[in-house]
Amino acid sequence: MKPVWISVVVALTGLSLLSACGGDSEPGAAGEDPPAAGKDLSPAEFAAKQFEVEKLIAECMKEKGFQYEAVPFAEDRPRPVEIAGTQSLFEPEDKLRPYRQKYGFGVAGQVIWPQDPVVGHPRTDTAESPNDKIRKQLDPTRLKAYEKALLGEKTIGDKGEGQPSCSDSATERVFGESLNQVTEAHSRAFEKFRTDPDVIKAAQQYGDCLRGKGYKVASVEPGSIENEVWNSFTRADGTELSMAQAKAQLPKEIQAALTDLDCRGRYAELARTKYNKAF
């Protein structure tokens, strides 16, 4: 089985289908779970805390006989607004509409306006970590032991047994929650959202509206329906549009993004109100 390699920063910010969302609405049934650790920190504060975690991981790994480099995390600059996908559900409609009128879902916009903070890509440095280099130098047996020390006996999110991993213990010391606690809280919150009868009904209405407007919708599952039209403008092979292709696509993309916004109605309302505190 291919080893799962997940950054502590990814787990803490909860980059699941419905994560790191804001809002001022009253929490509903899903509000029973606390927000993810580090969620309310500024980017600078979070980066500093994350570096504390990295240093503790390095100390722990050294005690276990492994090399690990504590890598400072670059401050991620949040976008002014999330215009596509699940994250966009938590943006008020009157705030989101002007952005979709200009950028659509942001697919073509990444090519047309690469430096624009709303759609520019990439947002963070993706250079290879020194720890990736360390892992590549290990033989299979040593690599398995390295990952067990760093991540634990099981994949993050599963309930492991025995001593906590270096990542778990370091994260809990700095943020007060282990990686397993964070990911399990997100799993519980998403399951509540996905199975809520009101959400399911609203998702079906959302899909019916899109289909009525001529758009193909393969799934009306909560957590998927909001990505359906957006995905139709992305390329499955990961290749990027040329400038000419992007400019030709943009008008259709804008129209689709506005239709998507008009159709999601009650579904987005439930996400923003009943589930905003859980995610």
Side-chain angles (χ1 to χ4, degrees):
M1 180 180 293
K2 184 178 180 181
V4 175
W5 191 251
I6 182 169
S7 160
V8 177
V9 71
V10 170
L12 282 172
T13 49
L15 297 183
S16 60
L17 284 175
L18 296 173
S19 62
C21 304
D24 302 317
S25 306
E26 292 291 329
E32 296 165 4
D33 289 318
K39 178 178 176 179
D40 296 324
L41 298 176
S42 70
E45 291 169 334
F46 187 85
K49 286 283 188 182
Q50 177 56 30
F51 192 36
E52 290 181 37
V53 173
E54 285 285 293
K55 289 186 285 188
L56 289 173
I57 290 175
E59 292 174 9
C60 176
M61 292 293 283
K62 184 177 180 180
E63 291 174 1
K64 294 178 182 291
F66 296 103
Q67 181 185 0
Y68 184 91
E69 298 292 332
V71 181
F73 276 80
E75 237 179 84
D76 191 15
R77 287 178 255 181
R79 299 186 190 277
V81 63
E82 293 291 348
I83 63 175
T86 301
Q87 295 297 308
S88 71
L89 291 174
F90 303 89
E91 304 285 359
E93 183 178 331
D94 59 348
K95 177 182 177 182
L96 183 56
R97 186 171 296 275
Y99 287 94
R100 287 202 171 184
Q101 287 172 336
K102 177 178 179 180
Y103 303 103
F105 292 112
V107 178
Q110 288 185 356
V111 177
I112 300 170
W113 301 287
Q115 302 304 316
D116 191 312
V118 176
V119 294
H121 182 77
R123 295 165 62 191
T124 54
D125 182 12
T126 57
E128 185 178 39
S129 162
N131 295 305
D132 290 330
K133 295 178 182 179
I134 291 170
R135 292 175 65 250
K136 289 178 180 178
Q137 295 171 359
L138 301 176
D139 62 53
T141 301
R142 186 68 172 165
L143 176 60
K144 183 177 180 180
Y146 182 97
E147 291 180 339
K148 179 179 177 181
L150 180 61
L151 299 175
E153 191 72 54
K154 296 185 177 183
T155 301
I156 289 176
D158 291 342
K159 294 181 179 179
E161 298 178 356
Q163 293 297 315
S165 68
C166 287
S167 292
D168 249 347
S169 59
T171 303
E172 191 160 13
R173 283 179 62 182
V174 174
F175 287 98
E177 289 186 84
S178 70
L179 292 179
N180 277 328
Q181 288 172 322
V182 172
T183 53
E184 286 167 9
H186 280 294
S187 294
R188 289 193 301 272
F190 178 69
E191 185 63 13
K192 289 176 182 178
F193 175 79
R194 191 185 67 80
T195 57
D196 184 325
D198 288 340
V199 173
I200 292 172
K201 180 180 179 180
Q204 183 65 61
Q205 292 170 340
Y206 183 5
D208 289 344
C209 178
L210 289 173
R211 287 168 177 150
K213 301 289 186 180
Y215 293 95
K216 293 182 180 180
V217 177
S219 172
V220 294
E221 287 282 335
S224 297
I225 178 65
E226 64 271 20
N227 301 314
E228 287 288 313
V229 181
W230 172 35
N231 286 341
S232 70
F233 287 92
T234 62
R235 293 188 167 190
D237 62 3
T239 59
E240 194 173 79
L241 298 168
S242 67
M243 180 62 75
Q245 289 170 328
K247 288 181 176 179
Q249 174 174 298
L250 184 60
K252 293 180 181 179
E253 190 179 322
I254 289 172
Q255 181 179 357
L258 292 174
T259 300
D260 178 77
L261 186 61
D262 291 336
C263 283
R264 65 191 196 176
R266 177 67 174 156
Y267 179 79
E269 180 185 344
L270 286 168
R272 283 197 307 270
T273 56
K274 192 173 181 180
Y275 289 93
N276 70 319
K277 299 296 182 182
F279 299 104

